[in-house]
């Protein structure tokens, strides 16, 4: 069995908050894959960026099936090549698996799944699978990684809730951090779409003016305090406003420490030590990495959205990456990360300053 894993593609609707633009590169990469045996292409979460896809130019919090269905249609219109290459792949007799991430557990809605199947080709429906938050095959286990992250973990058995007050349709039970990003940070993202694509964050911070940083630090602090001490009590009947004291603790701690990373590796290692699997593939934190845990391997497949690395006076487009895993009769033959150079142009570092103007 030959498995290819791509994570964090983040296909959006072609708006300013859509961070994916290398459609041709992704299509070519998938077209050029040469599986030895029967193969499965795994899209390991955040394939679709429902989070940053607006609905009627806004970002409604109570996300029903109707809203997610419209979003997936808008995403398809902006990224037809993705669906075309999926069709080519299943036509060859191979399989596709969609694993949920924190930007796309809208995939839980049956109509969203049906719509994706119909974009790829209804007659191939048996080749297209939606596996929830995990997928396993022989010695290989694949999950996005957000379930290992305190901020984005959700209860997979209770992804939907319903409250009369918000209409008859069930809506996604988003974790607090999701709503925070969705309500508070999306404005920042719309205003400064480039900043969030730049790594490492520590280096980016050196280029930002003190007043800008102070303004946004206090903005975030105010938002967290307001959410915890006032807003959730004011809107108690809305389950999405609830902020657990643990969330409060984590966010405050992270903000004060200036820690800007998503911690998933520690938990991934722990999970791997206990697991019967030989290979774990994750994504989520956008840091490609091959890591050994004893004789087992963790492959972090990085991401496919547009990201830059600050080096001297330039913003260098980061390479994309995917996992190539082969196993035969339960034994792993190889498990590698493959890097694909980005086709985006190098930007001068001054683009940071022009965005702030
Ligand atoms: Mn993620």
């Amino acid at each position: 069995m030959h498995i290819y894993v791509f994570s964090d593609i983040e296909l959006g609707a072609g708006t300013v908050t859509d961070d994916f633009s290398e459609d041709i590169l992704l299509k070519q990469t998938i077209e050029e894959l040469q599986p030895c045996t029967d193969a499965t292409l795994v899209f390991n979460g955040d394939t679709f960026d429902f989070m940053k896809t607006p609905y009627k130019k806004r970002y409604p919090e109570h996300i029903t099936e109707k809203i997610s269905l419209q979003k997936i249609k808008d995403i398809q219109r902006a990224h037809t090549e993705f669906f075309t290459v999926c069709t080519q792949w299943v036509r060859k007799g191979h399989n596709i698996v969609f694993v949920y991430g924190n930007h796309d557990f809208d995939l839980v809605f049956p109509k969203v799944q049906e719509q994706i199947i119909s974009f790829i080709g209804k007659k191939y429906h048996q080749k297209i699978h939606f596996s929830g938050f995990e997928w396993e095959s022989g010695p290989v286990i694949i999950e996005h990684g957000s379930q290992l992250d305190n901020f984005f973990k959700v209860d997979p058995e209770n992804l939907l809730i319903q409250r009369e007050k918000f209409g008859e349709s069930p809506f996604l039970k988003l974790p607090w951090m999701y709503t925070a990003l969705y309500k508070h940070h999306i404005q920042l993202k719309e205003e400064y779409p480039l900043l969030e694509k730049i790594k490492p964050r520590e280096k980016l911070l050196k280029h930002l003016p003190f007043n800008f940083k102070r303004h946004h630090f206090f903005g975030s602090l105010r938002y967290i305090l307001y959410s915890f001490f006032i807003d959730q009590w004011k809107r108690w009947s809305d389950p999405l406003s609830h902020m657990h004291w643990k969330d409060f603790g984590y966010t405050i701690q992270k903000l004060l420490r200036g820690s800007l990373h998503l911690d998933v590796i520690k938990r991934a290692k722990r999970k791997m030590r206990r697991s019967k699997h030989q290979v774990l593939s994750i994504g989520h934190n956008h840091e490609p990495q091959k890591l050994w845990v004893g004789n087992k391997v963790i492959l972090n497949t990085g991401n496919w959205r547009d990201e830059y690395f600050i080096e001297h006076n330039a913003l260098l487009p980061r390479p994309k990456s995917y996992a190539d895993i082969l196993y035969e009769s339960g034994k792993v033959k190889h498990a590698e990360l493959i890097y694909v150079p980005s086709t985006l142009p190098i930007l001068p570092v001054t683009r940071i300053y022009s965005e702030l103007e």
Side-chain angles (χ1 to χ4, degrees), residues 64-114:
T64 58
E65 187 167 53
K66 186 180 157 204
I67 293 176
S68 297
L69 187 61
Q70 185 56 51
K71 287 186 179 185
I72 196 68
K73 288 178 183 171
D74 295 341
I75 292 171
Q76 189 268 348
R77 209 168 300 134
H79 299 286
T80 51
E81 287 91 347
F82 173 79
F83 294 90
T84 313
V85 78
C86 287
T87 310
Q88 291 170 6
W89 179 262
V90 291
R91 201 182 280 146
K92 291 178 192 161
H94 302 316
N95 287 284
I96 293 182
V97 176
F98 290 97
V99 177
Y100 303 173
N102 53 307
H103 287 232
D104 62 359
F105 67 94
D106 307 55
L107 292 173
V108 68
F109 290 122
K111 282 188 181 160
V112 172
Q113 297 188 6
E114 276 168 37

Side-chain angles (χ1 to χ4, degrees), residues 8 10 44-46 51 101-104 144-146 149 152 262 283-286:
D8 303 85
E10 300 198 3
N44 188 17
D46 294 358
M51 187 197 266
N102 53 307
H103 287 232
D104 62 359
H144 177 63
S146 50
D149 179 343
F152 292 103
L262 297 171
H284 186 52
N285 70 359
H286 301 189

Side-chain angles (χ1 to χ4, degrees), residues 172-185:
L172 292 178
K173 193 170 186 305
L174 305 173
W176 181 82
M177 194 57 180
Y178 188 112
T179 12
L181 289 176
Y182 203 62
K183 280 162 62 183
H184 182 63
H185 290 103

Side-chain angles (χ1 to χ4, degrees), residues 267-278:
R267 289 200 177 171
K269 281 184 178 168
R270 199 183 307 156
K271 179 177 176 144
M272 213 39 191
R273 276 189 207 105
R274 293 184 194 142
S275 167
K276 62 178 173 43
H277 299 95
Q278 288 298 309

Side-chain angles (χ1 to χ4, degrees), residues 46-247:
D46 294 358
T47 312
F48 308 106
D49 190 357
F50 285 92
M51 187 197 266
K52 290 195 261 83
T53 294
Y55 173 72
K56 296 185 177 169
K57 296 190 176 161
R58 301 177 68 104
Y59 298 91
E61 260 177 89
H62 298 86
I63 300 168
T64 58
E65 187 167 53
K66 186 180 157 204
I67 293 176
S68 297
L69 187 61
Q70 185 56 51
K71 287 186 179 185
I72 196 68
K73 288 178 183 171
D74 295 341
I75 292 171
Q76 189 268 348
R77 209 168 300 134
H79 299 286
T80 51
E81 287 91 347
F82 173 79
F83 294 90
T84 313
V85 78
C86 287
T87 310
Q88 291 170 6
W89 179 262
V90 291
R91 201 182 280 146
K92 291 178 192 161
H94 302 316
N95 287 284
I96 293 182
V97 176
F98 290 97
V99 177
Y100 303 173
N102 53 307
H103 287 232
D104 62 359
F105 67 94
D106 307 55
L107 292 173
V108 68
F109 290 122
K111 282 188 181 160
V112 172
Q113 297 188 6
E114 276 168 37
Q115 187 63 65
I116 291 171
I117 291 170
S118 87
F119 285 143
I120 298 175
K122 271 195 189 124
K123 59 179 172 182
Y124 304 112
H125 72 275
Q126 281 168 320
K127 297 276 167 201
I128 307 164
H129 315 272
F130 295 90
S131 73
F133 284 95
E134 255 181 24
W135 183 72
E136 58 180 320
S137 171
V140 181
I141 181 145
I142 296 171
E143 72 168 287
H144 177 63
S146 50
Q147 291 296 88
L148 303 167
D149 179 343
N150 284 334
F151 288 105
F152 292 103
K153 197 172 186 292
V154 290
D155 175 2
E157 304 305 320
N158 293 294
L159 291 177
L160 295 172
I161 38 171
Q162 193 182 7
R163 290 287 185 280
E164 243 172 65
K165 194 181 160 193
F166 302 101
E168 305 214 316
S169 316
F171 52 91
L172 292 178
K173 193 170 186 305
L174 305 173
W176 181 82
M177 194 57 180
Y178 188 112
T179 12
L181 289 176
Y182 203 62
K183 280 162 62 183
H184 182 63
H185 290 103
I186 200 80
Q187 296 158 9
L188 209 66
K189 178 73 189 165
E190 288 201 328
E191 237 177 300
Y192 313 105
L194 177 68
L195 296 189
E196 193 245 343
K197 300 178 193 173
I198 300 174
K199 300 275 166 77
R201 299 264 160 91
E202 290 79 1
K203 269 194 178 173
L204 170 67
L205 287 176
K206 287 186 190 149
H207 288 272
L208 300 176
F210 178 74
N211 282 341
F212 180 89
K213 285 186 277 194
R214 191 184 54 186
H215 179 77
H216 291 289
F217 173 85
F218 285 108
S220 297
L221 185 62
R222 202 180 308 119
Y223 183 80
I224 298 167
L225 295 174
Y226 177 77
S227 301
F228 189 70
F229 290 107
I230 300 168
D231 188 53
Q232 64 167 334
W233 312 108
K234 254 168 76 181
R235 298 192 297 129
W236 191 252
S237 61
D238 180 356
L240 297 188
S241 75
H242 299 179
M243 186 184 192
H244 196 276
W245 63 267
K246 278 185 183 165
D247 285 327

